[in-house]
């Protein structure tokens, strides 16, 4: 039974690359035709630093040294898993506990927060246990139904104690996925939305986390929302309008949740889904990143998939150096993956074959392609770079273009928002570049869709 142990700070690496999701520069590929009828633009500073945000800081405080220490190193019996009988329904809330939100040594006011433990499923349909955090702004909504947003961070960590439950209780302060979530979450809370962020598994489970497995992540999102309905938070009810927001690694869970929801969780009123810089095609991502800037993340993707697909038997295919790196990554947070840019991954395999081409991996890759299952019935907004012209690009434009066209052909109401991600924008328009990097330009669209009757 896992007990939460805070991640011991390992090596501080450059954290610029995967605040969204990283791919090597390639030839320019035509993007889908953008939907210019839908106004989507960068939020003004006062739309982020809102009256609610200022009040949350004003009513908050700095964490005490003991609270900071406990957040970094403490253990929490909340994450000890109870035995399952085997007949529990997915989405069953096993345990909920309020906690004081703490991030980077700050304890903000005006936000109620709960840790959740709930029943979910693995890729084979067996029962599993997941954990999550729910955060609800203190406002005047009273008993009115507030929107609920399943927010999936750019969380690519395979190791334990790296996930939202740790991040928002004072742990792993250098995890980039938590920092990239602050802006969008502030926008959502300012609008009165509750947010549910799943760990995709039990945050404290020492076994490698299947964060990249689409079905596993999608079920974790939907079952996390089901569990959140039973917490009793003000205004959060089963008839609450629900949105999904997934960025980078979190786009896997949000995208598969949108595809599974109509048949798997029809009782959830999922109205809109945002997919920002996600990975629609795992094989293509691994192939394009296998010796590029995102090489460490490509290798972690394989290890995260193996956590749900043990038939990959990765260790049997690795050299001794490859096994040593795999063991390190399996117990690490994603900051460790920045330390191996441009590593030729084929050199880690005894066959010398690029991992995207290993025959035993092909069925797993195919099982994790977005847009190959059921059509999302929620509205979908897809946003990413219009061209492969940035050092941050690790998701080829062609992959996103193909997903948009597949969803359109399936009848999904989809909006495509291309972004100018050229490196020059980072220098000449840093505010625009940063807010779009975090997906903040899409939040108004999502909130508007959730407010419609």
């Amino acid at each position: 039974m896992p007990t939460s142990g805070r991640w011991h700070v390992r090596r501080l690496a450059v954290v610029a690359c995967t605040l969204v999701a990283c791919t090597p520069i390639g030839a320019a590929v035509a993007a889908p035709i953008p939907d210019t009828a839908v106004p989507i633009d960068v939020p003004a500073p006062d739309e982020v630093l809102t009256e609610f945000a200022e009040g949350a800081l004003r009513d908050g405080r700095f964490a005490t040294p003991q609270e900071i220490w406990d957040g970094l190193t403490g253990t929490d019996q909340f994450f000890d898993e109870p035995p399952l009988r085997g007949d529990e329904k997915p989405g069953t809330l096993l345990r909920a506990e309020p906690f004081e939100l703490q991030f980077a040594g700050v304890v903000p006011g005006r936000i109620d927060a709960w840790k959740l433990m709930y029943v979910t499923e693995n890729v084979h349909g067996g029962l599993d246990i997941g954990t999550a955090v729910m955060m609800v702004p203190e406002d005047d909504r009273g008993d009115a139904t507030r929107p609920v947003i399943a927010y999936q961070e750019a969380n690519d960590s395979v190791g334990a104690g790296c996930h939202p439950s740790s991040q928002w209780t004072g742990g792993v302060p250098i995890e980039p996925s938590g920092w990239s979530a602050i802006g969008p979450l502030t926008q959502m809370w300012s609008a009165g939305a509750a947010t549910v962020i799943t760990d995709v598994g039990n945050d404290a489970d020492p076994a490698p986390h299947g964060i990249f497995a689409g079905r596993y992540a999608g079920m974790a999102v939907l079952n996390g929302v089901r569990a959140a309905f039973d917490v009793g938070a003000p205004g959060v009810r089963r008839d609450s309008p629900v949105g999904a927001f997934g960025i980078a690694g979190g786009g896997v869970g949000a995208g598969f949740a949108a595809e599974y929801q109509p048949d798997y969780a029809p009782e959830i009123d999922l109205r809109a889904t945002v997919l920002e810089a996600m990975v629609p095609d795992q094989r293509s991502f691994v192939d394009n990143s296998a010796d590029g800037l995102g090489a460490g993340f490509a290798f972690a993707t394989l290890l995260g998939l193996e956590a749900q697909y043990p038939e990959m038997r990765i260790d049997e295919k690795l050299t001794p150096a490859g096994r040593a790196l795999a063991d390190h990554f399996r117990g690490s947070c994603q900051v460790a993956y920045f330390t191996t840019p441009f590593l030729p991954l084929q050199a880690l395999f005894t066959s010398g074959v690029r991992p995207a081409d290993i025959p035993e991996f092909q069925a797993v890759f195919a099982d994790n392609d977005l847009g190959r299952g059921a059509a999302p019935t929620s509205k979908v907004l897809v946003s990413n770079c219009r061209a492969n012209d940035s050092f941050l690009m690790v998701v080829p434009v062609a992959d996103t273009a193909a997903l948009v066209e597949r969803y359109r052909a399936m009848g999904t109401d989809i909006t495509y928002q291309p972004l100018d991600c050229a490196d020059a924008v980072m220098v000449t328009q840093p505010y625009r570049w940063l807010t779009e990097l975090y997906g903040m330009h899409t939040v108004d669209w999502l909130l508007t869709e959730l407010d419609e009757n």
Side-chain angles (χ1 to χ4, degrees), residues 159-181:
C162 302
H163 308 279
S165 288
S166 287
Q167 295 171 12
W168 298 101
T169 53
V172 286
I174 59 174
E175 267 299 275
S177 59
W179 288 96
S180 68

Side-chain angles (χ1 to χ4, degrees), residues 331-385:
S332 298
C333 301
Q334 69 182 36
V335 291
Y337 312 154
F338 292 108
T339 62
T340 55
F342 307 109
L343 175 68
L345 296 188
Q346 61 270 26
L348 302 179
F349 290 82
T350 55
S351 65
V353 174
R354 291 173 68 86
D357 296 326
I358 293 175
E360 294 87 345
F361 295 174
Q362 301 312 305
V364 176
F365 289 140
D367 200 37
N368 286 277
D369 280 350
L370 278 169
R372 304 297 185 185
T377 55
S378 71
K379 292 184 179 180
V380 176
L381 168 63
V382 171
S383 180
N384 80 323
C385 299

Side-chain angles (χ1 to χ4, degrees), residues 94-426:
L94 298 174
R95 187 178 298 155
E97 181 179 298
F99 71 94
E100 227 176 7
L101 179 61
Q102 182 194 155
F103 188 86
V106 175
V107 180
R110 301 193 181 187
I111 301 171
D112 295 324
W114 291 264
K115 291 177 287 190
L116 316 180
M117 178 177 283
Y118 61 94
V119 179
T120 187
E121 293 187 62
N122 60 33
V123 297
H124 303 295
L127 296 183
D128 198 7
I129 288 179
T131 54
V133 290
M134 178 168 68
M135 295 174 277
V136 182
E138 296 176 359
D139 53 27
D140 57 1
R141 278 184 175 261
D143 291 331
T145 300
R146 70 171 73 244
V148 176
I149 298 176
Y151 184 98
Q152 285 307 105
E153 296 180 4
N155 177 16
D156 298 324
S157 297
V158 180
C162 302
H163 308 279
S165 288
S166 287
Q167 295 171 12
W168 298 101
T169 53
V172 286
I174 59 174
E175 267 299 275
S177 59
W179 288 96
S180 68
I182 292 174
L185 287 174
T186 299
Q187 292 173 275
M188 295 169 188
W189 295 333
S190 296
T195 54
V196 180
I197 316 177
T198 177
D199 299 316
V200 188
N202 182 347
D203 177 45
D205 189 345
H209 286 233
I211 196 83
F212 301 101
R215 176 181 170 84
Y216 186 56
M219 298 303 165
V221 170
L222 294 172
N223 289 318
V225 171
R226 283 169 163 166
F229 289 150
D230 288 334
V231 171
V236 176
R237 305 194 307 234
R238 293 189 180 278
D239 57 348
S240 295
V242 177
F245 181 106
I247 181 168
V252 174
F256 275 91
E259 292 187 11
Y260 281 117
Q261 178 270 331
D263 293 327
Y264 183 79
E267 78 280 8
I268 294 177
D269 183 15
L270 182 63
R271 298 185 182 180
T273 302
V274 170
L275 302 178
E276 167 79 13
M278 71 300 178
V279 178
D281 184 324
Q282 302 277 19
R283 183 193 178 280
S284 175
F285 169 69
V286 170
D287 192 41
N288 279 273
S289 299
D291 49 10
L293 186 62
F297 286 84
F299 193 47
T301 295
L302 296 173
L303 301 174
L305 288 171
E306 185 193 34
Q308 286 290 308
Y309 298 90
E311 62 269 26
M312 294 176 72
R313 306 173 74 91
I314 292 177
D315 278 355
E316 296 179 4
K317 301 173 176 61
L318 294 174
T319 65
R323 284 195 297 274
L325 185 62
D327 288 342
H328 175 53
F329 275 15
R330 287 181 180 121
S332 298
C333 301
Q334 69 182 36
V335 291
Y337 312 154
F338 292 108
T339 62
T340 55
F342 307 109
L343 175 68
L345 296 188
Q346 61 270 26
L348 302 179
F349 290 82
T350 55
S351 65
V353 174
R354 291 173 68 86
D357 296 326
I358 293 175
E360 294 87 345
F361 295 174
Q362 301 312 305
V364 176
F365 289 140
D367 200 37
N368 286 277
D369 280 350
L370 278 169
R372 304 297 185 185
T377 55
S378 71
K379 292 184 179 180
V380 176
L381 168 63
V382 171
S383 180
N384 80 323
C385 299
R386 70 174 78 236
N388 299 317
D389 58 359
S390 168
F391 78 98
L392 284 182
M393 271 296 288
V394 294
V395 177
V397 167
D399 294 351
T400 304
L403 176 65
V404 169
E405 295 308 324
R406 284 199 297 272
Y407 277 162
R408 282 180 175 162
M410 294 161 71
T412 296
D413 184 344
I414 188 165
T415 297
Y416 172 67
Q417 176 71 7
L419 303 173
D420 185 355
C421 301
D423 295 334
V425 177
M426 178 178 61

Side-chain angles (χ1 to χ4, degrees), residues 17-40:
C17 168
T18 53
L19 290 180
V20 293
C22 302
T23 355
I25 301 172
V29 179
I33 297 173
D35 186 345
T36 56
V38 179
I40 300 171

